[in-house]
Amino acid sequence: MNARTRTLIAAALVLGIASGPAVAHAAPAPDPAPLSSTRTAPVISTPPDAAALEKAIAGLGPEHRDATAALVRVGGKSGAWQGSSGVADVRTGREVLEQGRFRAGSVTKTFTSAVVLQLAAEGSVDLDRPVQEYLPGLLPATFKPISVRQLLNYTSGIRPADGPGDSFSEAYAHRFDVDDPHALIANAAAKGPEFDPGTRQHYLNIDYTILGVLIEKVTGTSYERALTTRIIKPLGLRHTSLPSPAQTRIPGPHNRGYQAVPQAGGGRTLVDVTEWGSSREWAAGDLISTTADLERFTTALFAGRIVPKAQLEEMFTVPAVADFTTGAPAEMTAGMKRFVLPDGTVVWGKTGGRYGYNTAIGGTRDLSRTLVYSVNSTDAKGQDMNKVAFNIVMAAFAR
């Protein structure tokens, strides 16, 4: 795979990692054409490259620059591979747990989107209906009507809610705060719209916070119960859960996560970030899971066994608008993202980043190749893609 291919894949997969309140400025918008949703013919027919995958995760641990551990599952019609590397705990040097649980971050959005699309299939939600009609008073009159579909594909124009700050030290100091989703929405809405609905795409958590509230209103139950009864239990995802607002620990066996903090005299310290509240991320990023569960979810989703195929097209359709921050054509869909290899192969997926953990799910739509990984990144919210994760992707989609 050449350098251009590697660059394109890296750029495409850096998504869902930094979706907080960072300040963004609108860029000039081109006139993007609508993107086709898929290729149907199998695109990867060779088995996974085991040697390349083993090399991608070799040597992880406390002394590694980028990650202390990694869990990888590659699957699909052309074969499967599973591997792990690193340590579960840098203090003890205990071996990594291949079935360990982790924070999946913004992969949660794919689950949330799936529930909303289920409700649409059942006739309980109209994707073209303004969310203001479902949730009266949620947004002030300064906002034009925003459809449920525009929340799903991040074209709502709602600004992000304020957070504790952009630095790790600020986030760490507030890691046990408990945030109410209604308060976050009110904070965001008070700023007024960022752009007219449907005219730009800005990837932010706030849209999915609102979708979580919408799910609760329409189902008459909690977001957590709705996700559990509609996806987690039917698929038998026994190691997948949604924490309560005050829950800070990862239940069950897990590999600990760390953030590398530079020291004044040189070097770095690994700060344990395993225990962390999730209430701020909620329907946008609080899922806890395993690579096996996420692989099962990904396969079932792409196969049309979670969302009916008519509504599933929303997850494989990119709106024909420009990205708000870059001006480039939009790439996000309802709960996923589309990227294209130079040979025309279309790959779909979603990544997530919580301090200590980078996660990804995805693959070709025909399921000839799927990939799930959890990398215990030492800079999981950094602007650049983790190098270990990058190498995993390169190896997984090599032919």
Side-chain angles (χ1 to χ4, degrees), residues 364-382:
T364 56
R365 188 171 181 184
D366 69 344
L367 293 174
S368 58
R369 178 61 45 84
T370 62
L371 169 64
V372 175
Y373 68 70
S374 171
V375 173
N376 290 73
S377 170
T378 55
D379 188 18
K381 303 290 274 186

Side-chain angles (χ1 to χ4, degrees), residues 175-244:
R175 66 192 184 281
F176 298 140
D177 289 0
V178 176
D179 293 287
D180 177 72
H182 294 271
L184 293 173
I185 296 167
N187 176 272
K191 302 176 184 181
E194 191 169 56
F195 50 80
D196 285 343
T199 62
R200 298 285 190 277
Q201 185 176 81
H202 194 179
Y203 177 74
L204 296 167
N205 281 345
I206 193 65
D207 292 314
Y208 277 69
T209 302
I210 296 174
L211 289 171
V213 174
L214 174 66
I215 288 170
E216 293 193 328
K217 176 67 178 293
V218 173
T219 63
T221 189
S222 69
Y223 164 79
E224 292 80 7
R225 181 176 293 275
L227 229 68
T228 299
T229 58
R230 287 174 168 272
I231 296 179
I232 295 175
K233 283 189 174 180
L235 286 182
L237 307 182
R238 296 186 298 109
H239 305 300
T240 298
S241 61
L242 297 157
S244 65

Side-chain angles (χ1 to χ4, degrees), residues 47 82 118 122 178 317:
Q82 179 180 346
Q118 285 181 352
E122 296 163 10
V178 176
T317 302

